[in-house]
Amino acid sequence: MDKRAIGVFDSGMGGLTAVKRLIEVLPGEDIIYLGDTGRVPYGGRSRETIIEYSRQDIAFLRSFDIKCIVAACGTVSTVALEAIENDYPIPIYGVAGMAAKAAAKATRNGRIGLIGTKASIGSGAYNRLILAELPEAEVIGRACPLFVPLVENGRVGVDDEVLRLVAEDYLEPIKRAGVDTLIMGCTHYPIIRAMIGRVMGDNVTLIDPGGETAVYVSERLKNAGMLSGCTKGERRYYVTDSPDGFGEMARLFLGSGDAYDISQVTINNF
Ligand code: DGL
């Protein structure tokens, strides 16, 4: 048994897609979440900056007693993680590997669509991971830089006209390429899953990296005998900008049953 919490971080609220699934599969675990809302988006920044921000996010989470970290950010997972993960004494799970595995398993025609931030797509990491799983796969990738700011500003409804126009512009070429599977390679994207699904159509399987990774982490902890043994865990949320809007969105994405414990942190102290 291990009563330490699980640390989760993202550039903003996208990592809540991983938290949602973690709570479903591991209801007894304590979770400490950091959304770097003061510096979101990461996806248009340089590798050096993404590494520096990731190190600060990890340092903040490590100021608590935690047993592992989920880097619930496609950008951090593809751009920074390989360079820094071995510098820490606890495991840090990225979201790209499990998404690639799930896509390779789901595809029937070998044509896999991939959407993500500019930095994630530019890193080529998703492509490498998919091809390692399925060498004959054809990956049709596209950066979708407007999705993260739209989500962070609450433009997430399936009836949102601005979101629809942007989604059609980004996704229709991928759809025309005949993919049967689409990796939503940034953890913000499952929040607009309904719109992505509407544009791509019912025959395309959508892969949620945070959700896949949450299930993987739960299996790792179970197999290692590292679950908390509690029935209901506590969750604490930290943001690097004002918590006001985040609380509202957290309620929307995680459900309204819980009272949310949200605080602001000065990330430059870490
Ligand atoms: N949720 C982050 C990701 O998965 C958003 C990246 C960003 O901040 O641009 O990539």
Side-chain angles (χ1 to χ4, degrees):
M1 243 154 51
D2 188 335
K3 290 199 181 303
R4 291 176 298 169
I6 300 172
V8 182
F9 75 98
D10 178 45
S11 57
M13 64 181 63
L16 295 178
T17 57
V19 171
K20 186 168 195 284
R21 194 79 181 108
L22 271 175
I23 294 172
E24 282 164 10
V25 292
L26 295 175
E29 297 300 310
D30 290 350
I31 295 174
I32 295 172
Y33 181 83
L34 172 66
D36 191 5
T37 51
R39 303 189 294 197
V40 68
Y42 284 8
R45 300 184 192 273
S46 68
R47 179 172 181 268
E48 291 66 34
T49 301
I50 296 168
I51 287 178
E52 182 195 330
Y53 287 1
S54 304
R55 283 195 191 280
Q56 285 181 309
D57 298 341
I58 292 168
F60 169 72
L61 288 174
R62 293 197 62 225
S63 67
F64 299 88
D65 194 19
I66 52 173
K67 55 188 163 196
C68 65
I69 291 178
V70 180
C73 175
T75 306
V76 169
S77 305
T78 52
V79 175
L81 212 54
E82 208 180 341
I84 63 176
E85 63 190 342
N86 293 327
D87 297 348
Y88 302 97
I90 54 170
I92 304 179
Y93 301 106
V95 292
M98 292 318 292
K101 256 192 212 314
K105 204 166 152 203
T107 186
R108 297 165 306 281
N109 69 6
R111 296 172 78 77
I112 297 174
L114 167 68
I115 52 174
T117 64
K118 207 165 140 235
S120 275
I121 300 294
S123 75
Y126 268 117
N127 294 53
R128 286 192 291 279
L129 290 163
I130 295 165
L131 292 175
E133 295 291 329
L134 190 67
E136 66 275 22
E138 194 181 335
V139 182
I140 296 102
R142 176 119 203 229
C144 304
L146 291 176
F147 275 164
V148 170
L150 282 169
V151 170
E152 290 285 327
N153 285 286
R155 305 297 297 259
V156 298
V158 77
D159 50 0
D160 189 299
E161 275 303 290
V162 176
L163 177 63
R164 183 182 61 78
L165 286 173
V166 173
E168 284 176 357
D169 186 61
Y170 284 148
L171 299 175
E172 269 172 0
I174 303 178
K175 187 180 171 183
R176 279 199 298 276
V179 304
D180 69 356
T181 303
L182 176 71
I183 298 182
M184 299 183 283
C186 161
T187 52
H188 279 68
Y189 300 172
I191 294 172
I192 51 168
R193 182 185 192 116
M195 182 64 83
I196 293 173
R198 182 166 142 184
V199 177
M200 294 305 293
D202 289 343
N203 295 331
V204 175
T205 304
L206 302 180
I207 306 293
D208 165 4
E212 297 292 336
T213 306
V215 173
Y216 174 71
V217 170
S218 82
E219 278 158 16
R220 290 292 296 255
L221 292 178
K222 268 180 209 153
N223 292 341
M226 286 175 69
L227 293 180
S228 71
C230 301
T231 47
K232 187 166 183 339
E234 284 178 10
R235 287 119 211 171
R236 270 184 279 168
Y237 300 87
Y238 293 87
V239 287
T240 59
D241 201 345
S242 163
D244 298 348
F246 190 88
E248 221 172 276
M249 296 304 270
R251 265 181 284 280
L252 182 63
F253 298 123
L254 297 177
S256 54
D258 280 342
Y260 293 99
D261 177 351
I262 305 171
S263 319
Q264 186 167 353
V265 58
T266 306
I267 197 67
N268 282 329
N269 292 346
F270 291 87

